[in-house]
Amino acid sequence: MPLPDADLPPFLTSEALPGEASVAVLPVPYERTTSWGRGAEHGPAALLRASRYVEIYDEELRLEPVRIGIETLQPVDVEASEEAALQRISASARNVIERGRFLAAIGGEHTVTPALVRGVMEAAGADLGVVQFDAHADLRSTYQGTRWNHACAMSRVLDLGVRTLAVGIRSLSRPEAVRIEMERLPIIWGHQMQALAPEDLQALFAGLLASLPDTVYLTFDLDFFDPSLLPATGTPEPGGGNWHQALTLLRLLFEQKSVIAMDVVELAPIPDNPASEFTAARLLYKCIGYRFRRELAARPASERLDQTPIRPPAT
């Protein structure tokens, strides 16, 4: 029998003591404006449950990122007015950064991102860039009568005065296209990702990334992926990125910039089809590995390759 959303397991079921954690996983089950398929409010719970089946050893990095210390926080209480809920999300993000931890937030719809970015900016006190992996531009001024629709997420981020880079975009309105052209917002389009050779795609990404500040927030809307890989999103779009494209660009991002916070959003679980939430959990773990690769690689070899903690089978 599945656990109720209020009774969530920790990420990977391998919980660090609060004083030892370098990573704070923050569930944000916010969903109010989804415009097609619903279920994003259950995304954090589904991802955390699926993470029980993710191997803690990373074959690419040849280490166990979990050793950096990961604490799963209590979900943000979003049962309030829109304004109050978004303020709580910002406050939670601010608290994580003020404690010197890497923030790994799990949505929820994309509306949570500007609230999270605001909290990170308030705590970091540094010039911040935002890198967006997404199918949709999310640059509408308003949608369905509100400025806080998930289709307006990146408009609200830009309102904060940050510079952005979007990757994988393949769905937008005409006004959004005009804004992109007029403001010269940097974008790697979905069709470019399919047409470019891998080395050319990496060079394009690195060149655009260089225009952002050194400190970066990563927002990863899971509809970036082609729905053949990850169908469980509210607004799937054909022609998306694949797993290894995403990992190649993410590794480059974490190598070139100081990523201090991130989110994974728009997971809308499909009953009896756990592939999407497992993919999302593995993606989050890969990002944690990329973020702390240098710190972990500097540790003794026995910590990197041997002495794997015994872990009971998930049931």
Side-chain angles (χ1 to χ4, degrees):
M1 179 180 295
L3 296 167
D5 282 5
D7 186 16
L8 299 180
F11 185 66
L12 301 177
T13 72
S14 182
E15 192 72 344
L17 295 174
E20 299 175 345
S22 296
V23 178
V25 173
L26 178 68
V28 190
Y30 182 95
E31 181 178 30
R32 301 195 185 195
T33 70
T34 43
S35 50
W36 189 9
R38 293 192 59 83
E41 64 185 315
H42 303 299
L47 188 153
L48 290 173
R49 292 169 189 150
S51 75
R52 293 179 295 172
Y53 301 93
V54 174
E55 290 286 358
I56 62 175
Y57 178 76
D58 187 300
E59 83 291 346
E60 176 192 0
L61 301 178
R62 300 186 69 240
L63 47 79
E64 295 172 330
V66 71
R67 290 182 180 274
I68 203 66
I70 301 173
E71 181 186 8
T72 305
L73 306 179
Q74 288 298 309
V76 179
D77 181 2
V78 296
E79 296 300 320
S81 68
E82 179 182 82
E83 180 180 358
L86 295 173
Q87 286 178 347
R88 289 175 183 174
I89 294 169
S90 292
S92 297
R94 183 171 61 249
N95 182 59
V96 170
I97 301 301
E98 285 175 345
R99 296 176 68 184
R101 295 181 173 184
F102 177 75
L103 171 65
I106 312 169
E109 65 174 59
H110 214 167
T111 304
V112 306
T113 296
L116 291 164
V117 171
R118 184 174 64 211
V120 170
M121 290 180 67
E122 290 171 353
D127 194 12
L128 189 70
V130 175
V131 175
Q132 169 200 10
F133 282 67
D134 206 331
H136 306 88
D138 289 346
L139 287 169
R140 297 175 188 264
S141 297
T142 63
Y143 193 63
Q144 296 181 334
T146 175
R147 299 174 68 248
W148 295 103
N149 190 283
H150 70 117
C152 309
M154 296 309 293
S155 274
R156 301 291 78 81
V157 167
L158 287 170
D159 287 347
L160 297 171
V162 303
R163 283 173 278 172
T164 63
L165 167 59
V167 183
I169 306 302
R170 55 194 187 277
S171 179
L172 70 167
S173 65
R174 182 178 179 83
E176 289 173 292
V178 170
R179 180 178 186 181
I180 289 166
E181 184 173 346
M182 295 295 294
E183 298 183 20
R184 298 186 178 182
L185 300 177
I187 287 182
I188 297 178
W189 300 98
H191 64 83
Q192 289 179 294
M193 294 192 63
Q194 303 305 321
L196 291 173
E199 59 273 17
D200 293 331
L201 176 61
Q202 293 173 49
L204 175 61
F205 180 67
L208 294 174
L209 198 58
S211 67
L212 295 186
D214 290 336
T215 306
V216 163
Y217 180 103
L218 166 65
T219 177
F220 200 109
D221 186 327
L222 291 165
D223 61 30
F224 163 86
F225 288 120
D226 190 84
S228 62
L229 172 64
L230 198 151
T233 65
T235 47
E237 287 285 346
N242 64 44
W243 177 251
H244 289 292
Q245 281 179 325
L247 293 191
T248 297
L249 297 184
L250 288 169
R251 181 163 184 165
L252 190 57
L253 167 64
F254 281 89
E255 287 174 350
Q256 294 198 359
K257 298 294 181 180
S258 174
V259 183
I260 62 171
M262 68 172 292
D263 64 55
V264 174
V265 296
E266 297 285 352
L267 175 65
I270 299 172
D272 301 319
N273 186 357
S276 294
E277 46 258 47
F278 180 83
T279 301
R282 186 114 195 272
L283 177 78
L284 183 59
Y285 192 46
K286 291 294 293 187
C287 288
I288 292 171
Y290 291 151
R291 166 60 183 83
F292 290 98
R293 176 178 59 85
R294 292 185 181 89
E295 291 92 328
L296 288 161
R299 295 186 175 187
S302 60
E303 289 193 24
R304 301 198 307 269
L305 300 175
D306 305 319
Q307 301 179 8
T308 301
I310 296 174
R311 180 176 165 190
T315 57

